[in-house]
Amino acid sequence: SAAAGSCLKCSHVDRLLSSGLRESMMDVPPPTPWPRNETGFLVCSHVTLFVAALWFFKTLLYRDYEVKEHHIQFLFAATFTASVSMFELVLASLAGALEPRLRSAAWKFDHWVLIMLVYGLLPACFTWTTVRTVLAKSKRFATFCICVVVPSFWQVIIFSGQLIHIDKHDLSSDLLMARIGVLGITVVATLSGFGAVNFPFRSVHSLLTPVSQQQVADIEERLMGTLKLIASK
């Protein structure tokens, strides 16, 4: 009888919980779809930025070098599009122009696109282009170099993350971007320091006034006259 009573109590509790859960689910409103005009604006913005980046690359940036590899043009346009799109989303967040859920989804999309480009596609493309164009090696050797260089690049990124005490091997977008950010800042600081020293050293001659041989002879003559005057006195 005690067991039967406990079973009845359990069934009664289950019915109450199920009914309460059903009522709570009915109270929760279904997620509203994204506004079509704002979604269309973001899609058109990405397409416009991509086309503008391709035009800028072909017409202005490498007009004299004729970079005809389509994968290089595509990677440049994709990087430019994702970067400028994130800047647009920051401005939209400050102005409250777009729906927060749509901004969050677009931000995650652009963020992960940049992470995939920085961690995988750009190092592999750089290695492939260097081996195939500069060293003039075979495709098999270029693939082998990619398999060696890209994991080594990941190890350098992990080591750079340890400099700011990122010891977790988590694959979250924030930690991945923090690790690559440390490495990027280090490289930029090194290049800027080298440029700050090297550029004045190479271009200081353009700031100097040219001196002719006649001017040097006149100064020497005046110097000799001054020395003779001092010796006579």
Side-chain angles (χ1 to χ4, degrees):
S1 60
S6 62
C7 290
L8 290 175
K9 291 180 180 179
C10 291
S11 62
H12 181 65
V13 171
D14 291 338
R15 285 196 298 271
L16 290 177
L17 290 176
S18 60
S19 61
L21 181 61
R22 193 180 302 110
E23 291 177 358
S24 62
M25 292 178 63
M26 293 177 63
D27 294 337
V28 175
T32 57
W34 294 335
R36 293 184 178 180
N37 54 349
E38 296 182 358
T39 306
F41 170 77
L42 285 179
V43 172
C44 293
S45 175
H46 280 73
V47 173
T48 304
L49 289 173
F50 189 84
V51 174
L54 284 178
W55 175 84
F56 177 76
F57 186 91
K58 295 179 181 179
T59 307
L60 300 178
L61 189 60
Y62 282 93
R63 178 178 55 187
D64 299 329
Y65 297 96
E66 296 183 357
V67 179
K68 297 180 180 179
E69 288 81 0
H70 294 288
H71 64 278
I72 297 178
Q73 301 174 7
F74 176 81
L75 290 176
F76 174 83
T79 306
F80 180 84
T81 302
S83 302
V84 178
S85 176
M86 293 185 73
F87 179 70
E88 287 183 351
L89 292 174
V90 171
L91 296 180
S93 300
L94 295 176
L98 300 175
E99 187 180 356
R101 292 189 302 113
L102 182 59
R103 290 200 307 263
S104 177
W107 180 272
K108 291 179 180 179
F109 174 77
D110 294 331
H111 202 181
W112 279 106
V113 166
L114 288 178
I115 289 174
M116 289 187 293
L117 287 170
V118 171
Y119 275 84
L121 295 178
L122 292 179
C125 178
F126 179 78
T127 305
W128 177 274
T129 305
T130 303
V131 174
R132 293 284 295 162
T133 305
V134 179
L135 302 179
K137 299 296 182 178
S138 62
K139 294 182 179 180
R140 183 176 299 178
F141 184 74
T143 305
F144 172 76
C145 291
I146 290 175
C147 296
V148 173
V149 171
V150 174
S152 302
F153 177 68
W154 293 343
Q155 291 295 326
V156 173
I157 293 175
I158 294 174
F159 174 74
S160 64
Q162 294 176 355
L163 297 177
I164 56 174
H165 305 289
I166 300 179
D167 298 327
K168 296 188 299 182
H169 297 283
D170 193 4
L171 297 180
S172 63
S173 59
D174 295 335
L175 292 181
L176 290 174
M177 192 58 70
R179 291 190 184 98
I180 197 65
V182 174
L183 181 61
I185 291 173
T186 304
V187 173
V188 170
T190 304
L191 294 177
S192 62
F194 174 77
V197 176
N198 185 62
F199 178 75
F201 177 75
R202 290 183 175 273
S203 59
V204 68
H205 64 276
S206 61
L207 304 176
L208 300 177
T209 304
V211 179
S212 62
Q213 292 294 332
Q214 183 63 36
Q215 291 176 340
V216 174
D218 294 340
I219 293 175
E220 289 179 352
E221 185 177 355
R222 282 186 291 175
L223 178 61
M224 294 301 297
T226 304
L227 292 177
K228 290 179 181 180
L229 181 61
I230 293 174
S232 64
K233 290 186 178 181

